[in-house]
Amino acid sequence: MSTDPGTLSAERILDAAEEVLRRFGPAKATVLDVARALGVSHGSVYRHFPSKAALRSAVTERWLARMSTPLAEVATAGEPAAERLRRWLFELNRSKRRIAREDPELFDTFNLLATQLEDVVAAHLEVLAGQLAVIVADGVAAGEFDVADPALAGRAVLQATTRFHHPAHLTEWAEPVLEDDLAAVLSLLLDGLRVRPAN
């Protein structure tokens, strides 16, 4: 089915690019393949994305945003900070595991792309650390946490829980004790963040 180039949107192109990447993999997928899938000339695709690299970056950014956007709602919810932190970390872990289980080919494709797009991944990690910083800052304001630098603490929490969300640990995500391990790490993190009673 062909697409009218005049109605071609960036979102339609990104949808097609995702399907092309799933079908051919990042090594073989081309802008021409995306254009063919849409029934347009490759020039129509280039009007939205000036290069293959720009298209790959955009489709990877969108894929990563699928994980970070729902987490933003958790970060700003009305619950106590400790509960939000728990929900945020478990949701990140479960969403990564769900995607890897339900669409392993696409997960592997985007994991490979992410290793080639360090700036896109760095921006994504900044978003995640920023969400954690919001939770920590709210905990400080509410008297739950005693932290001098919420931004630094947010980055530290993200780094301390790498095993539970970084694709390099994919083979460990099927372990039956994984969520128990995450709960144990979270307990230690919360103990370090909480206000200490006065002596």
Side-chain angles (χ1 to χ4, degrees), residues 106-142:
L106 194 62
F107 186 87
D108 289 345
T109 290
F110 277 109
N111 184 31
L112 180 58
L113 280 178
T115 63
Q116 301 165 1
L117 299 167
E118 292 181 7
D119 55 335
V120 172
V121 173
H124 173 66
L125 293 176
E126 281 300 312
V127 168
L128 297 182
Q131 291 175 358
L132 288 168
V134 167
I135 297 172
V136 174
D138 286 352
V140 172

PDB file of all heavy atoms in Angstrom, residues 106-142:
ATOM      1  N   LEU A 106      13.221  -7.603  18.483  1.00  0.00           N
ATOM      2  CA  LEU A 106      13.271  -6.143  18.513  1.00  0.00           C
ATOM      3  C   LEU A 106      14.118  -5.652  19.677  1.00  0.00           C
ATOM      4  O   LEU A 106      14.865  -4.686  19.548  1.00  0.00           O
ATOM      5  CB  LEU A 106      11.856  -5.564  18.594  1.00  0.00           C
ATOM      6  CG  LEU A 106      11.739  -4.073  18.294  1.00  0.00           C
ATOM      7  CD1 LEU A 106      12.190  -3.758  16.869  1.00  0.00           C
ATOM      8  CD2 LEU A 106      10.313  -3.585  18.515  1.00  0.00           C
ATOM      9  N   PHE A 107      14.025  -6.330  20.814  1.00  0.00           N
ATOM     10  CA  PHE A 107      14.835  -5.959  21.978  1.00  0.00           C
ATOM     11  C   PHE A 107      16.317  -6.064  21.629  1.00  0.00           C
ATOM     12  O   PHE A 107      17.096  -5.144  21.912  1.00  0.00           O
ATOM     13  CB  PHE A 107      14.511  -6.868  23.160  1.00  0.00           C
ATOM     14  CG  PHE A 107      15.197  -6.457  24.440  1.00  0.00           C
ATOM     15  CD1 PHE A 107      14.611  -5.529  25.286  1.00  0.00           C
ATOM     16  CD2 PHE A 107      16.418  -6.994  24.793  1.00  0.00           C
ATOM     17  CE1 PHE A 107      15.246  -5.147  26.457  1.00  0.00           C
ATOM     18  CE2 PHE A 107      17.061  -6.626  25.955  1.00  0.00           C
ATOM     19  CZ  PHE A 107      16.478  -5.693  26.804  1.00  0.00           C
ATOM     20  N   ASP A 108      16.706  -7.174  20.996  1.00  0.00           N
ATOM     21  CA  ASP A 108      18.109  -7.358  20.609  1.00  0.00           C
ATOM     22  C   ASP A 108      18.541  -6.293  19.598  1.00  0.00           C
ATOM     23  O   ASP A 108      19.656  -5.781  19.665  1.00  0.00           O
ATOM     24  CB  ASP A 108      18.320  -8.743  20.011  1.00  0.00           C
ATOM     25  CG  ASP A 108      18.227  -9.849  21.048  1.00  0.00           C
ATOM     26  OD1 ASP A 108      18.287  -9.533  22.252  1.00  0.00           O
ATOM     27  OD2 ASP A 108      18.086 -11.021  20.651  1.00  0.00           O
ATOM     28  N   THR A 109      17.635  -5.961  18.664  1.00  0.00           N
ATOM     29  CA  THR A 109      17.939  -4.953  17.647  1.00  0.00           C
ATOM     30  C   THR A 109      18.216  -3.601  18.290  1.00  0.00           C
ATOM     31  O   THR A 109      19.208  -2.936  17.985  1.00  0.00           O
ATOM     32  CB  THR A 109      16.779  -4.834  16.647  1.00  0.00           C
ATOM     33  OG1 THR A 109      16.735  -6.030  15.863  1.00  0.00           O
ATOM     34  CG2 THR A 109      16.961  -3.651  15.717  1.00  0.00           C
ATOM     35  N   PHE A 110      17.335  -3.192  19.202  1.00  0.00           N
ATOM     36  CA  PHE A 110      17.525  -1.886  19.824  1.00  0.00           C
ATOM     37  C   PHE A 110      18.690  -1.878  20.800  1.00  0.00           C
ATOM     38  O   PHE A 110      19.355  -0.855  20.962  1.00  0.00           O
ATOM     39  CB  PHE A 110      16.234  -1.425  20.496  1.00  0.00           C
ATOM     40  CG  PHE A 110      15.274  -0.784  19.524  1.00  0.00           C
ATOM     41  CD1 PHE A 110      14.122  -1.412  19.141  1.00  0.00           C
ATOM     42  CD2 PHE A 110      15.566   0.451  18.970  1.00  0.00           C
ATOM     43  CE1 PHE A 110      13.255  -0.831  18.228  1.00  0.00           C
ATOM     44  CE2 PHE A 110      14.712   1.038  18.060  1.00  0.00           C
ATOM     45  CZ  PHE A 110      13.558   0.402  17.693  1.00  0.00           C
ATOM     46  N   ASN A 111      18.952  -3.013  21.423  1.00  0.00           N
ATOM     47  CA  ASN A 111      20.122  -3.095  22.285  1.00  0.00           C
ATOM     48  C   ASN A 111      21.387  -2.896  21.456  1.00  0.00           C
ATOM     49  O   ASN A 111      22.302  -2.168  21.871  1.00  0.00           O
ATOM     50  CB  ASN A 111      20.149  -4.442  22.996  1.00  0.00           C
ATOM     51  CG  ASN A 111      21.287  -4.546  23.976  1.00  0.00           C
ATOM     52  OD1 ASN A 111      21.710  -3.561  24.576  1.00  0.00           O
ATOM     53  ND2 ASN A 111      21.790  -5.749  24.160  1.00  0.00           N
ATOM     54  N   LEU A 112      21.438  -3.506  20.270  1.00  0.00           N
ATOM     55  CA  LEU A 112      22.590  -3.336  19.387  1.00  0.00           C
ATOM     56  C   LEU A 112      22.698  -1.884  18.912  1.00  0.00           C
ATOM     57  O   LEU A 112      23.786  -1.300  18.905  1.00  0.00           O
ATOM     58  CB  LEU A 112      22.480  -4.283  18.200  1.00  0.00           C
ATOM     59  CG  LEU A 112      23.619  -4.228  17.173  1.00  0.00           C
ATOM     60  CD1 LEU A 112      24.955  -4.518  17.836  1.00  0.00           C
ATOM     61  CD2 LEU A 112      23.365  -5.207  16.043  1.00  0.00           C
ATOM     62  N   LEU A 113      21.571  -1.300  18.509  1.00  0.00           N
ATOM     63  CA  LEU A 113      21.591   0.103  18.090  1.00  0.00           C
ATOM     64  C   LEU A 113      22.070   1.007  19.216  1.00  0.00           C
ATOM     65  O   LEU A 113      22.833   1.954  18.999  1.00  0.00           O
ATOM     66  CB  LEU A 113      20.192   0.546  17.643  1.00  0.00           C
ATOM     67  CG  LEU A 113      19.758   0.160  16.236  1.00  0.00           C
ATOM     68  CD1 LEU A 113      18.333   0.629  15.997  1.00  0.00           C
ATOM     69  CD2 LEU A 113      20.689   0.754  15.183  1.00  0.00           C
ATOM     70  N   ALA A 114      21.606   0.722  20.431  1.00  0.00           N
ATOM     71  CA  ALA A 114      21.966   1.568  21.577  1.00  0.00           C
ATOM     72  C   ALA A 114      23.472   1.562  21.823  1.00  0.00           C
ATOM     73  O   ALA A 114      24.048   2.584  22.211  1.00  0.00           O
ATOM     74  CB  ALA A 114      21.220   1.109  22.824  1.00  0.00           C
ATOM     75  N   THR A 115      24.121   0.414  21.560  1.00  0.00           N
ATOM     76  CA  THR A 115      25.571   0.364  21.758  1.00  0.00           C
ATOM     77  C   THR A 115      26.304   1.246  20.753  1.00  0.00           C
ATOM     78  O   THR A 115      27.439   1.651  20.983  1.00  0.00           O
ATOM     79  CB  THR A 115      26.104  -1.080  21.644  1.00  0.00           C
ATOM     80  OG1 THR A 115      25.869  -1.568  20.319  1.00  0.00           O
ATOM     81  CG2 THR A 115      25.441  -1.992  22.651  1.00  0.00           C
ATOM     82  N   GLN A 116      25.629   1.571  19.629  1.00  0.00           N
ATOM     83  CA  GLN A 116      26.233   2.408  18.596  1.00  0.00           C
ATOM     84  C   GLN A 116      25.854   3.885  18.743  1.00  0.00           C
ATOM     85  O   GLN A 116      26.405   4.737  18.050  1.00  0.00           O
ATOM     86  CB  GLN A 116      25.791   1.911  17.214  1.00  0.00           C
ATOM     87  CG  GLN A 116      26.177   0.468  16.939  1.00  0.00           C
ATOM     88  CD  GLN A 116      25.434  -0.115  15.735  1.00  0.00           C
ATOM     89  OE1 GLN A 116      24.643   0.554  15.098  1.00  0.00           O
ATOM     90  NE2 GLN A 116      25.704  -1.384  15.436  1.00  0.00           N
ATOM     91  N   LEU A 117      24.906   4.177  19.623  1.00  0.00           N
ATOM     92  CA  LEU A 117      24.377   5.537  19.764  1.00  0.00           C
ATOM     93  C   LEU A 117      24.572   6.008  21.207  1.00  0.00           C
ATOM     94  O   LEU A 117      23.611   6.174  21.965  1.00  0.00           O
ATOM     95  CB  LEU A 117      22.896   5.567  19.377  1.00  0.00           C
ATOM     96  CG  LEU A 117      22.582   5.165  17.937  1.00  0.00           C
ATOM     97  CD1 LEU A 117      21.085   4.928  17.755  1.00  0.00           C
ATOM     98  CD2 LEU A 117      23.076   6.230  16.962  1.00  0.00           C
ATOM     99  N   GLU A 118      25.820   6.219  21.571  1.00  0.00           N
ATOM    100  CA  GLU A 118      26.148   6.536  22.958  1.00  0.00           C
ATOM    101  C   GLU A 118      25.479   7.821  23.435  1.00  0.00           C
ATOM    102  O   GLU A 118      25.074   7.918  24.597  1.00  0.00           O
ATOM    103  CB  GLU A 118      27.667   6.640  23.127  1.00  0.00           C
ATOM    104  CG  GLU A 118      28.381   5.304  22.950  1.00  0.00           C
ATOM    105  CD  GLU A 118      29.876   5.421  23.134  1.00  0.00           C
ATOM    106  OE1 GLU A 118      30.345   6.510  23.533  1.00  0.00           O
ATOM    107  OE2 GLU A 118      30.576   4.426  22.889  1.00  0.00           O
ATOM    108  N   ASP A 119      25.348   8.811  22.545  1.00  0.00           N
ATOM    109  CA  ASP A 119      24.734  10.072  22.965  1.00  0.00           C
ATOM    110  C   ASP A 119      23.252   9.894  23.263  1.00  0.00           C
ATOM    111  O   ASP A 119      22.718  10.485  24.203  1.00  0.00           O
ATOM    112  CB  ASP A 119      24.937  11.157  21.898  1.00  0.00           C
ATOM    113  CG  ASP A 119      24.433  10.742  20.515  1.00  0.00           C
ATOM    114  OD1 ASP A 119      24.376   9.529  20.239  1.00  0.00           O
ATOM    115  OD2 ASP A 119      24.086  11.631  19.713  1.00  0.00           O
ATOM    116  N   VAL A 120      22.570   9.058  22.489  1.00  0.00           N
ATOM    117  CA  VAL A 120      21.150   8.789  22.725  1.00  0.00           C
ATOM    118  C   VAL A 120      20.972   8.067  24.055  1.00  0.00           C
ATOM    119  O   VAL A 120      20.087   8.402  24.849  1.00  0.00           O
ATOM    120  CB  VAL A 120      20.554   7.953  21.568  1.00  0.00           C
ATOM    121  CG1 VAL A 120      19.135   7.506  21.884  1.00  0.00           C
ATOM    122  CG2 VAL A 120      20.585   8.755  20.269  1.00  0.00           C
ATOM    123  N   VAL A 121      21.813   7.086  24.312  1.00  0.00           N
ATOM    124  CA  VAL A 121      21.735   6.340  25.565  1.00  0.00           C
ATOM    125  C   VAL A 121      22.074   7.243  26.747  1.00  0.00           C
ATOM    126  O   VAL A 121      21.405   7.194  27.792  1.00  0.00           O
ATOM    127  CB  VAL A 121      22.672   5.113  25.529  1.00  0.00           C
ATOM    128  CG1 VAL A 121      22.720   4.427  26.887  1.00  0.00           C
ATOM    129  CG2 VAL A 121      22.199   4.134  24.471  1.00  0.00           C
ATOM    130  N   ALA A 122      23.088   8.083  26.593  1.00  0.00           N
ATOM    131  CA  ALA A 122      23.457   8.994  27.681  1.00  0.00           C
ATOM    132  C   ALA A 122      22.304   9.932  28.027  1.00  0.00           C
ATOM    133  O   ALA A 122      22.027  10.187  29.204  1.00  0.00           O
ATOM    134  CB  ALA A 122      24.699   9.798  27.285  1.00  0.00           C
ATOM    135  N   ALA A 123      21.613  10.424  27.011  1.00  0.00           N
ATOM    136  CA  ALA A 123      20.460  11.302  27.252  1.00  0.00           C
ATOM    137  C   ALA A 123      19.351  10.539  27.972  1.00  0.00           C
ATOM    138  O   ALA A 123      18.692  11.077  28.882  1.00  0.00           O
ATOM    139  CB  ALA A 123      19.951  11.880  25.941  1.00  0.00           C
ATOM    140  N   HIS A 124      19.124   9.289  27.578  1.00  0.00           N
ATOM    141  CA  HIS A 124      18.109   8.448  28.224  1.00  0.00           C
ATOM    142  C   HIS A 124      18.454   8.224  29.695  1.00  0.00           C
ATOM    143  O   HIS A 124      17.583   8.328  30.576  1.00  0.00           O
ATOM    144  CB  HIS A 124      18.024   7.116  27.475  1.00  0.00           C
ATOM    145  CG  HIS A 124      17.150   6.098  28.124  1.00  0.00           C
ATOM    146  ND1 HIS A 124      15.779   6.239  28.254  1.00  0.00           N
ATOM    147  CD2 HIS A 124      17.454   4.893  28.696  1.00  0.00           C
ATOM    148  CE1 HIS A 124      15.279   5.184  28.859  1.00  0.00           C
ATOM    149  NE2 HIS A 124      16.268   4.354  29.131  1.00  0.00           N
ATOM    150  N   LEU A 125      19.711   7.933  29.973  1.00  0.00           N
ATOM    151  CA  LEU A 125      20.131   7.704  31.356  1.00  0.00           C
ATOM    152  C   LEU A 125      19.992   8.970  32.195  1.00  0.00           C
ATOM    153  O   LEU A 125      19.654   8.907  33.385  1.00  0.00           O
ATOM    154  CB  LEU A 125      21.571   7.179  31.396  1.00  0.00           C
ATOM    155  CG  LEU A 125      21.772   5.788  30.807  1.00  0.00           C
ATOM    156  CD1 LEU A 125      23.248   5.409  30.802  1.00  0.00           C
ATOM    157  CD2 LEU A 125      20.946   4.742  31.566  1.00  0.00           C
ATOM    158  N   GLU A 126      20.231  10.122  31.576  1.00  0.00           N
ATOM    159  CA  GLU A 126      20.033  11.389  32.280  1.00  0.00           C
ATOM    160  C   GLU A 126      18.566  11.589  32.642  1.00  0.00           C
ATOM    161  O   GLU A 126      18.236  12.093  33.722  1.00  0.00           O
ATOM    162  CB  GLU A 126      20.535  12.558  31.429  1.00  0.00           C
ATOM    163  CG  GLU A 126      22.039  12.751  31.463  1.00  0.00           C
ATOM    164  CD  GLU A 126      22.568  13.018  32.867  1.00  0.00           C
ATOM    165  OE1 GLU A 126      21.996  13.880  33.571  1.00  0.00           O
ATOM    166  OE2 GLU A 126      23.535  12.346  33.270  1.00  0.00           O
ATOM    167  N   VAL A 127      17.682  11.200  31.731  1.00  0.00           N
ATOM    168  CA  VAL A 127      16.241  11.292  32.011  1.00  0.00           C
ATOM    169  C   VAL A 127      15.885  10.403  33.202  1.00  0.00           C
ATOM    170  O   VAL A 127      15.187  10.829  34.131  1.00  0.00           O
ATOM    171  CB  VAL A 127      15.406  10.900  30.772  1.00  0.00           C
ATOM    172  CG1 VAL A 127      13.936  10.705  31.140  1.00  0.00           C
ATOM    173  CG2 VAL A 127      15.542  11.962  29.689  1.00  0.00           C
ATOM    174  N   LEU A 128      16.367   9.168  33.188  1.00  0.00           N
ATOM    175  CA  LEU A 128      16.071   8.240  34.278  1.00  0.00           C
ATOM    176  C   LEU A 128      16.637   8.744  35.602  1.00  0.00           C
ATOM    177  O   LEU A 128      15.951   8.733  36.634  1.00  0.00           O
ATOM    178  CB  LEU A 128      16.627   6.850  33.963  1.00  0.00           C
ATOM    179  CG  LEU A 128      16.034   6.133  32.745  1.00  0.00           C
ATOM    180  CD1 LEU A 128      16.654   4.742  32.599  1.00  0.00           C
ATOM    181  CD2 LEU A 128      14.523   6.033  32.833  1.00  0.00           C
ATOM    182  N   ALA A 129      17.890   9.189  35.589  1.00  0.00           N
ATOM    183  CA  ALA A 129      18.500   9.704  36.813  1.00  0.00           C
ATOM    184  C   ALA A 129      17.761  10.946  37.309  1.00  0.00           C
ATOM    185  O   ALA A 129      17.606  11.149  38.526  1.00  0.00           O
ATOM    186  CB  ALA A 129      19.981  10.023  36.566  1.00  0.00           C
ATOM    187  N   GLY A 130      17.289  11.771  36.380  1.00  0.00           N
ATOM    188  CA  GLY A 130      16.526  12.959  36.754  1.00  0.00           C
ATOM    189  C   GLY A 130      15.214  12.605  37.428  1.00  0.00           C
ATOM    190  O   GLY A 130      14.788  13.274  38.383  1.00  0.00           O
ATOM    191  N   GLN A 131      14.552  11.543  36.946  1.00  0.00           N
ATOM    192  CA  GLN A 131      13.316  11.101  37.588  1.00  0.00           C
ATOM    193  C   GLN A 131      13.590  10.616  39.009  1.00  0.00           C
ATOM    194  O   GLN A 131      12.829  10.916  39.942  1.00  0.00           O
ATOM    195  CB  GLN A 131      12.670   9.996  36.759  1.00  0.00           C
ATOM    196  CG  GLN A 131      12.122  10.477  35.432  1.00  0.00           C
ATOM    197  CD  GLN A 131      11.585   9.342  34.572  1.00  0.00           C
ATOM    198  OE1 GLN A 131      11.642   8.173  34.950  1.00  0.00           O
ATOM    199  NE2 GLN A 131      11.065   9.678  33.408  1.00  0.00           N
ATOM    200  N   LEU A 132      14.674   9.881  39.175  1.00  0.00           N
ATOM    201  CA  LEU A 132      15.050   9.426  40.513  1.00  0.00           C
ATOM    202  C   LEU A 132      15.393  10.606  41.416  1.00  0.00           C
ATOM    203  O   LEU A 132      15.053  10.611  42.608  1.00  0.00           O
ATOM    204  CB  LEU A 132      16.230   8.456  40.423  1.00  0.00           C
ATOM    205  CG  LEU A 132      15.892   7.078  39.850  1.00  0.00           C
ATOM    206  CD1 LEU A 132      17.166   6.308  39.530  1.00  0.00           C
ATOM    207  CD2 LEU A 132      15.017   6.287  40.815  1.00  0.00           C
ATOM    208  N   ALA A 133      16.034  11.614  40.855  1.00  0.00           N
ATOM    209  CA  ALA A 133      16.372  12.810  41.640  1.00  0.00           C
ATOM    210  C   ALA A 133      15.121  13.520  42.138  1.00  0.00           C
ATOM    211  O   ALA A 133      15.095  14.045  43.258  1.00  0.00           O
ATOM    212  CB  ALA A 133      17.223  13.759  40.800  1.00  0.00           C
ATOM    213  N   VAL A 134      14.068  13.534  41.323  1.00  0.00           N
ATOM    214  CA  VAL A 134      12.792  14.126  41.740  1.00  0.00           C
ATOM    215  C   VAL A 134      12.239  13.384  42.948  1.00  0.00           C
ATOM    216  O   VAL A 134      11.789  14.000  43.930  1.00  0.00           O
ATOM    217  CB  VAL A 134      11.777  14.099  40.576  1.00  0.00           C
ATOM    218  CG1 VAL A 134      10.366  14.405  41.068  1.00  0.00           C
ATOM    219  CG2 VAL A 134      12.181  15.101  39.500  1.00  0.00           C
ATOM    220  N   ILE A 135      12.267  12.064  42.896  1.00  0.00           N
ATOM    221  CA  ILE A 135      11.773  11.257  44.014  1.00  0.00           C
ATOM    222  C   ILE A 135      12.576  11.548  45.278  1.00  0.00           C
ATOM    223  O   ILE A 135      12.011  11.762  46.363  1.00  0.00           O
ATOM    224  CB  ILE A 135      11.831   9.752  43.677  1.00  0.00           C
ATOM    225  CG1 ILE A 135      10.917   9.427  42.491  1.00  0.00           C
ATOM    226  CG2 ILE A 135      11.448   8.909  44.893  1.00  0.00           C
ATOM    227  CD1 ILE A 135      11.057   8.008  41.971  1.00  0.00           C
ATOM    228  N   VAL A 136      13.895  11.558  45.140  1.00  0.00           N
ATOM    229  CA  VAL A 136      14.748  11.797  46.305  1.00  0.00           C
ATOM    230  C   VAL A 136      14.521  13.205  46.865  1.00  0.00           C
ATOM    231  O   VAL A 136      14.392  13.388  48.082  1.00  0.00           O
ATOM    232  CB  VAL A 136      16.233  11.583  45.939  1.00  0.00           C
ATOM    233  CG1 VAL A 136      17.133  11.982  47.113  1.00  0.00           C
ATOM    234  CG2 VAL A 136      16.491  10.127  45.545  1.00  0.00           C
ATOM    235  N   ALA A 137      14.453  14.194  45.982  1.00  0.00           N
ATOM    236  CA  ALA A 137      14.231  15.575  46.437  1.00  0.00           C
ATOM    237  C   ALA A 137      12.900  15.701  47.173  1.00  0.00           C
ATOM    238  O   ALA A 137      12.803  16.400  48.198  1.00  0.00           O
ATOM    239  CB  ALA A 137      14.281  16.533  45.253  1.00  0.00           C
ATOM    240  N   ASP A 138      11.861  15.034  46.657  1.00  0.00           N
ATOM    241  CA  ASP A 138      10.572  15.057  47.344  1.00  0.00           C
ATOM    242  C   ASP A 138      10.670  14.394  48.711  1.00  0.00           C
ATOM    243  O   ASP A 138      10.033  14.835  49.678  1.00  0.00           O
ATOM    244  CB  ASP A 138       9.506  14.349  46.496  1.00  0.00           C
ATOM    245  CG  ASP A 138       9.059  15.171  45.295  1.00  0.00           C
ATOM    246  OD1 ASP A 138       9.465  16.346  45.196  1.00  0.00           O
ATOM    247  OD2 ASP A 138       8.309  14.627  44.454  1.00  0.00           O
ATOM    248  N   GLY A 139      11.456  13.320  48.782  1.00  0.00           N
ATOM    249  CA  GLY A 139      11.661  12.648  50.070  1.00  0.00           C
ATOM    250  C   GLY A 139      12.376  13.536  51.063  1.00  0.00           C
ATOM    251  O   GLY A 139      12.047  13.540  52.263  1.00  0.00           O
ATOM    252  N   VAL A 140      13.326  14.307  50.594  1.00  0.00           N
ATOM    253  CA  VAL A 140      14.029  15.262  51.466  1.00  0.00           C
ATOM    254  C   VAL A 140      13.052  16.327  51.959  1.00  0.00           C
ATOM    255  O   VAL A 140      12.990  16.645  53.154  1.00  0.00           O
ATOM    256  CB  VAL A 140      15.215  15.903  50.721  1.00  0.00           C
ATOM    257  CG1 VAL A 140      15.817  17.042  51.551  1.00  0.00           C
ATOM    258  CG2 VAL A 140      16.288  14.855  50.396  1.00  0.00           C
ATOM    259  N   ALA A 141      12.254  16.865  51.038  1.00  0.00           N
ATOM    260  CA  ALA A 141      11.292  17.915  51.395  1.00  0.00           C
ATOM    261  C   ALA A 141      10.257  17.418  52.397  1.00  0.00           C
ATOM    262  O   ALA A 141       9.783  18.188  53.249  1.00  0.00           O
ATOM    263  CB  ALA A 141      10.598  18.431  50.131  1.00  0.00           C
ATOM    264  N   ALA A 142       9.902  16.125  52.301  1.00  0.00           N
ATOM    265  CA  ALA A 142       8.891  15.560  53.198  1.00  0.00           C
ATOM    266  C   ALA A 142       9.479  15.046  54.516  1.00  0.00           C
ATOM    267  O   ALA A 142       8.741  14.568  55.381  1.00  0.00           O
ATOM    268  CB  ALA A 142       8.161  14.417  52.492  1.00  0.00           C
TER     269      ALA A 142
END
